[in-house]
Amino acid sequence: MSDPSSKSPEQPGSTRIVAGQSATFKRPLGLKIGIAAGILALVGGGAAVASAVNNNSAPATVQETTPAGNPAAELKLGYFGNVTHAPALVGVSQGHIADELGDTKLTTQVFNAGPAAIEALNAGAIDATYIGPNPAINSYVKSAGESVHIVAGAAAGGAQLVVKPEINSAADLKGKTLASPQLGGTQDVALRAWLASQGYKTNVDGSGDVAINPTENAQTLKLFQDGKLDGAWLPEPWASRLVLTAGAKVLVDEKDLWDGSLSGKPGEFPTTILIVSQKFAADHPDTVKALLKGHVKSVEWLNGAADGEKASVINAALKEAAGAELKADVIDRSLKNIVFTVDPLAGTYEKLLADGVAAGTTKQADINGIFNLAALNSVADEKTSAAGLGKE
């Protein structure tokens, strides 16, 4: 497989950056994992690439100095090589975002998980990113409400706990080892919260009744195939890859845990949202609005395209972003599990915060003000609610 970082971006006027990120989490005894820092872990038809920023990263690039209020000279945008990030994949590959940005240069960077993307945004290496809700909440809490704003939703659903065939219930998980994409990420928090609801204790160092091993998605697939993991809570397409190519089965479909009482949309929960640095948004509101126009176009395209065309475009974008396409059955199954929407489902965020607190990955705080949906509501056809947690 060729190194995706060596490819030229397909969209004129944009630049894509891909680089390595290695996790540094303590792993349970008996699970030996060697991942060299900076090596792309692409397995089979995998579609995830690690982040460009880690704890030993170089200083952030110098920010452009366009006067506040004017369009930015450059917008640095992050996203993941996951089907749940299809609005970003489509928006970049089809030019929806670059077209709306006009003279503003679009530079993109591919990440593997939310905490790494947040680190890059807080360091100034990127200005905006598609991400899961829990890392955004954690950043907002840690910064006392000064780091980011959630400006739109992107995808709902598309996350499952998949396990070995012999595991039939929660009772069978005691003493087992499960994976999540990254400590403090949205799937990591969801897994810990669900295990707690089943009476299990987990700890962020990997100890507890059930060991949770934060692992890069492509490595999770390999470890599961090698019998070194008992299961994982994963976003699409990784849940589908483990089911269709590695013989896993679904123990929990996260959509079954959301009855709609918080959002008014049964079965929907936020998986991918769009966030922007508060400083960048304050300096360049017109650029943020242009980004949102491109984002809305991408979501509308996804919801209007024929299934075959949608799968083809997303697959081509995945190959560009992460070096490999998905098999037809994997992308078809993935898309059936996802709803593409600009609604971030704001009514669910108090619960998401509480789950993060219970998981030990964030602290209790007031998240009022985390949303700024004013720009979204100025460009979208339908008004989206911030559920009392920010501007509309």
Side-chain angles (χ1 to χ4, degrees):
M1 181 180 299
S2 62
D3 181 353
S5 65
S6 66
K7 298 180 180 182
S8 299
E10 295 181 355
Q11 174 58 32
S14 68
T15 302
R16 186 172 60 83
I17 302 171
V18 180
Q21 163 83 18
S22 62
T24 56
F25 304 109
K26 181 177 179 182
R27 292 179 168 84
L29 293 177
L31 185 59
K32 308 284 187 180
I33 305 174
I35 307 175
I39 296 177
L40 298 182
L42 297 176
V43 181
V49 178
S51 163
V53 179
N54 56 29
N55 292 332
N56 299 314
S57 60
T61 55
V62 177
Q63 297 291 304
E64 48 74 30
T65 57
T66 305
N70 291 341
E74 179 181 19
L75 171 69
K76 292 169 288 187
L77 178 67
Y79 62 98
F80 307 171
N82 291 341
V83 180
T84 50
H85 285 237
L89 294 166
V90 169
V92 171
S93 67
Q94 300 298 294
H96 298 312
I97 294 173
D99 288 348
E100 293 296 336
L101 288 174
D103 291 335
T104 296
K105 178 183 177 182
L106 174 64
T107 301
T108 63
Q109 188 165 312
V110 181
F111 293 86
N112 176 63
I118 282 290
E119 187 177 356
L121 190 144
N122 289 339
I126 57 175
D127 306 307
T129 188
Y130 289 81
I131 198 169
N134 282 96
I137 292 170
N138 198 31
S139 176
Y140 190 82
V141 168
K142 284 184 175 180
S143 69
E146 296 182 355
S147 60
V148 302
H149 274 143
I150 299 170
V151 295
Q160 298 174 331
L161 172 59
V162 296
V163 297
K164 290 180 175 178
E166 60 267 27
I167 296 175
N168 296 307
S169 68
D172 296 332
L173 292 174
K174 187 174 179 61
K176 298 295 193 293
T177 299
L178 306 176
S180 68
Q182 192 169 357
L183 180 66
T186 299
Q187 285 77 49
D188 181 74
V189 170
L191 173 57
R192 294 174 190 275
W194 180 79
L195 287 171
S197 75
Q198 303 302 306
Y200 289 123
K201 179 176 176 58
T202 63
N203 300 309
V204 295
D205 66 357
S207 63
D209 301 322
V210 180
I212 299 178
N213 186 61
T215 307
E216 192 272 329
N217 290 326
Q219 190 72 6
T220 292
L221 173 61
K222 181 65 165 61
L223 291 168
F224 186 84
Q225 290 172 320
D226 291 345
K228 295 178 180 179
L229 283 174
D230 298 296
W233 198 296
L234 298 169
E236 294 294 3
W238 296 100
S240 289
R241 292 204 66 200
L242 263 68
V243 169
L244 296 173
T245 68
K249 73 176 184 182
V250 177
L251 185 64
V252 179
D253 191 330
E254 192 173 348
K255 69 180 182 182
D256 296 332
L257 306 180
W258 297 89
D259 61 7
S261 59
L262 300 176
S263 67
K265 298 179 179 180
E268 292 189 22
F269 57 96
T271 304
T272 308
I273 57 176
L274 179 57
I275 65 172
V276 176
S277 157
Q278 289 188 24
K279 182 181 185 308
F280 184 87
D283 288 346
H284 306 294
D286 289 346
T287 303
V288 173
K289 183 177 287 190
L291 168 63
L292 285 166
K293 285 181 179 179
H295 172 64
V296 169
K297 284 186 176 180
S298 299
V299 172
E300 289 175 346
W301 185 91
L302 284 162
N303 289 328
D307 290 346
E309 182 183 14
K310 188 187 311 182
S312 177
V313 168
I314 292 173
N315 233 349
L318 284 170
K319 184 175 182 179
E320 174 64 25
E325 294 183 343
L326 296 171
K327 292 181 179 178
D329 59 346
V330 171
I331 195 165
D332 288 345
R333 183 185 184 278
S334 298
L335 289 171
K336 285 182 174 65
N337 292 326
I338 303 169
V339 175
F340 297 112
T341 175
V342 299
D343 185 354
L345 304 172
T348 64
Y349 280 71
E350 293 286 6
K351 181 182 186 308
L352 293 170
L353 171 64
D355 288 347
V357 172
T361 59
T362 192
K363 62 182 180 181
Q364 185 60 48
D366 182 2
I367 58 171
N368 184 38
I370 193 170
F371 291 96
N372 188 341
L373 304 179
L376 172 67
N377 285 329
S378 74
V379 301
D381 292 335
E382 295 183 8
K383 184 176 180 180
T384 299
S385 171
L389 295 176
K391 296 179 181 178
E392 298 178 359

